Amino acid sequence: MNENLELINITKLGDDIVLKLSNNGTETLNSEHWTVMYNGTPKVYIANQSYITPLNKVEITINGSTPCRISLISEYGNKYYYKL
């Protein structure tokens, strides 16, 4: 399994936090099977697309304020941590 998500940009828009991620691995990923944690609590999120092919990008939007800790758990159980 070659999964590699890279955080490209984080933007704060009003009450929302937008994470822009790039799929730098070789697997097509399904964002509907991810879990997003906001300060240790599961958070409802919106992805601008369901399937992210290699070398493509996805934007994940959650409601929240900063500073915070965000972790993304992929469909394969890999964990990615971000601190804002």
Side-chain angles (χ1 to χ4, degrees), residues 6-23:
E6 180 183 344
L7 179 67
I8 296 174
N9 191 19
I10 298 176
T11 307
K12 178 81 169 113
L13 298 172
D15 291 337
D16 292 334
I17 299 171
V18 180
L19 292 91
K20 188 171 187 179
L21 304 159
S22 176
N23 179 3

Side-chain angles (χ1 to χ4, degrees), residues 47-61:
N48 68 339
Q49 57 186 347
S50 296
Y51 293 95
I52 306 94
T53 56
L55 303 179
N56 279 323
K57 297 169 182 60
V58 63
E59 287 187 2
I60 302 289
T61 303

Side-chain angles (χ1 to χ4, degrees), residues 24 40 42 67:
N24 293 335

Side-chain angles (χ1 to χ4, degrees), residues 31-54:
S31 65
E32 294 177 2
H33 295 160
W34 295 350
T35 300
V36 175
M37 305 287 281
Y38 173 81
N39 290 331
T41 304
K43 194 76 166 174
V44 175
Y45 64 95
I46 298 170
N48 68 339
Q49 57 186 347
S50 296
Y51 293 95
I52 306 94
T53 56

